[in-house]
Amino acid sequence: MLILMRSGATPEQIEAACQAVRDLGLTPHPIPGAMRTAIGITGNRGALEPSLFTRLDGVADAVPVSQPYKLVSREVKPEDTIIEVGPARLGGGSLCVMAGPCSVETRDQVLTTAAYVKAGGATMLRGGAFKPRTSPYEFQGLREEGLELLAEAREATGLPIITEVKDTESLALVARYADVLQVGARNMQNFSLLERLGDLDKPVMLKRGLASTVKEWLMAAEYIVSRGNRRVILCERGIRTFETATRNTLDLGIVPLLRAQTHLPIVVDPSHGTGYAAGVTPMARAAVATGVDGIMIEVHPDPCKALSDGPQALTFAMFDALMVDVRAIAAVMKQRV
Ligand code: PEP
Ligand code: MN
């Protein structure tokens, strides 16, 4: 249920409505909006009687929320969520370009790439230090050393960093370095991890699971938001379908639907979504044309020598060429890059 306060409701009236929710053993989530404050309610198993709240001073209405996800839905919060991370901005008419290597490999590799993507117009540096690999025999990441190299690259370029957190054990360590914590596709429904992320005051980018429906994805986001961390970004990175010619099937058709269902910022990752470098630029262009809030692009100084995801990595020259197109399409979409 959602309590809609009157536009002139006082802080005392809002608190009294929250207390009425607590008195029922439920949790109130006040959501300030441009016109009025709304209060989402979670914890109830069945429907609630609207008059429990409509009789209170300052309450305009109490309406049921039709979706199983509540706090991430547009029904509960009509305005887009805007997330600011240093100079980068997700939502509110900006296009955030997250770029960098799949894995942090060497000091030279990450510093060179960071400087290059910054010069090309990226607003956030990506790089994995804890890598969830399909095979235990593949490169697993530099771990803390990788995080230190990312921090050095941030220092050198001013770019905030996004890096993956693989499990609850390493969360405290990764959170000490990261500006945005990335939850990988393989962890989208790692509920213990999601709960811990919900208790942090740090933005989280939640990648879509390999075979997850939109409903499952938004419910996973709800795990984080319901515990108090409202800064969640969704990232479409391709899903598993019958098609094996591409690494994944990039589901761009989901973007307008997500826009309608949720207020959270949306990012598209055409690198994992296609799996081959020649596919990345066209699908990044297409992603920007859907009006997303950000794109995530893997870039490597020498893709042939990359320790992970070399086939989908763009060279520096390819990244530069992509950015020319991204700027042009973003201008059509009235977005600032
Ligand atoms: C990554 O971003 O490097 C990554 C492992 O992505 P995903 O979880 O989407 O496979
Ligand atoms: Mn990768």
Side-chain angles (χ1 to χ4, degrees):
M1 170 149 290
L2 184 68
I3 302 174
L4 302 171
M5 301 301 297
R6 292 189 197 286
S7 56
T10 64
E12 292 74 25
Q13 289 171 335
I14 295 169
E15 174 47 31
C18 288
Q19 191 54 47
V21 175
R22 284 187 216 104
D23 289 345
L24 294 167
L26 307 175
T27 310
H29 302 266
I31 304 155
M35 305 300 288
R36 44 124 183 100
T37 291
I39 304 170
I41 302 176
T42 58
N44 51 310
R45 303 237 177 270
L48 293 168
E49 176 52 49
S51 64
L52 286 167
F53 310 104
T54 48
R55 62 184 171 76
L56 301 173
D57 289 342
V59 172
D61 205 357
V63 293
V65 178
S66 61
Q67 300 293 352
Y69 38 88
K70 312 283 176 203
L71 304 177
V72 305
S73 77
R74 255 203 210 278
E75 275 178 279
V76 167
K77 180 172 181 278
E79 293 99 0
D80 286 347
T81 287
I82 299 173
I83 299 178
E84 292 191 342
V85 190
R89 195 168 200 250
L90 286 127
S94 292
L95 181 78
C96 175
V97 179
M98 307 170 171
C102 178
S103 298
V104 178
E105 298 167 0
T106 65
R107 183 166 183 273
D108 187 48
Q109 174 239 21
V110 70
L111 291 180
T112 318
T113 309
Y116 210 94
V117 298
K118 158 99 192 232
T123 41
M124 201 178 291
L125 175 66
R126 68 146 285 143
F130 287 83
K131 297 299 299 175
R133 304 305 302 278
T134 301
S135 163
Y137 307 117
E138 286 172 329
F139 179 59
Q140 303 287 313
L142 294 181
R143 302 192 163 101
E144 186 162 10
E145 188 193 340
L147 297 172
E148 275 165 11
L149 294 176
L150 283 170
E152 196 179 332
R154 169 176 52 203
E155 195 66 30
T157 58
L159 291 177
I161 54 183
I162 176 165
T163 194
E164 177 160 356
V165 55
K166 200 158 70 87
D167 45 42
T168 50
E169 288 82 353
S170 58
L171 174 57
L173 173 68
V174 179
R176 272 211 298 283
Y177 290 88
D179 297 297
V180 179
L181 290 156
Q182 175 173 320
V183 177
R186 291 154 193 80
N187 261 324
M188 189 203 85
Q189 285 188 316
N190 179 339
F191 298 116
S192 314
L193 182 60
L194 301 179
E195 284 173 359
R196 295 275 306 277
L197 290 163
D199 295 335
L200 294 184
D201 182 21
K202 190 153 274 207
V204 175
M205 187 168 89
L206 182 64
K207 286 191 145 193
R208 183 179 186 180
L210 305 172
S212 297
T213 64
V214 166
K215 187 167 153 188
E216 288 161 344
W217 190 12
L218 292 176
M219 293 304 284
E222 187 86 9
Y223 262 85
I224 305 171
V225 176
S226 64
R227 292 177 78 99
N229 186 355
R230 295 184 183 177
R231 290 190 292 167
V232 176
I233 302 154
L234 300 168
C235 177
E236 160 61 36
R237 47 77 72 204
I239 47 174
R240 174 89 38 108
T241 66
F242 62 84
E243 182 56 79
T244 53
T246 47
R247 181 177 179 184
N248 290 295
T249 298
L250 187 66
D251 188 9
L252 283 184
I254 217 66
V255 174
L257 190 130
L258 278 177
R259 272 280 181 248
Q261 304 280 325
T262 180
H263 53 82
L264 298 176
I266 306 166
V267 168
V268 166
D269 169 357
S271 301
H272 295 86
T274 61
Y276 64 109
V280 174
T281 297
M283 295 315 282
R285 289 192 206 112
V288 176
T290 65
V292 283
D293 303 298
I295 50 174
M296 172 172 262
I297 308 288
E298 287 189 344
V299 181
H300 195 283
D302 188 353
C304 294
K305 298 213 177 97
L307 297 181
S308 61
D309 289 351
Q312 69 195 34
L314 298 192
T315 61
F316 292 165
M318 288 168 89
F319 179 72
D320 278 346
L322 168 64
M323 287 305 294
V324 172
D325 294 349
V326 161
R327 282 201 190 84
I329 300 168
V332 172
M333 300 307 295
K334 302 191 174 44
Q335 281 184 303
R336 292 176 299 277
V337 185

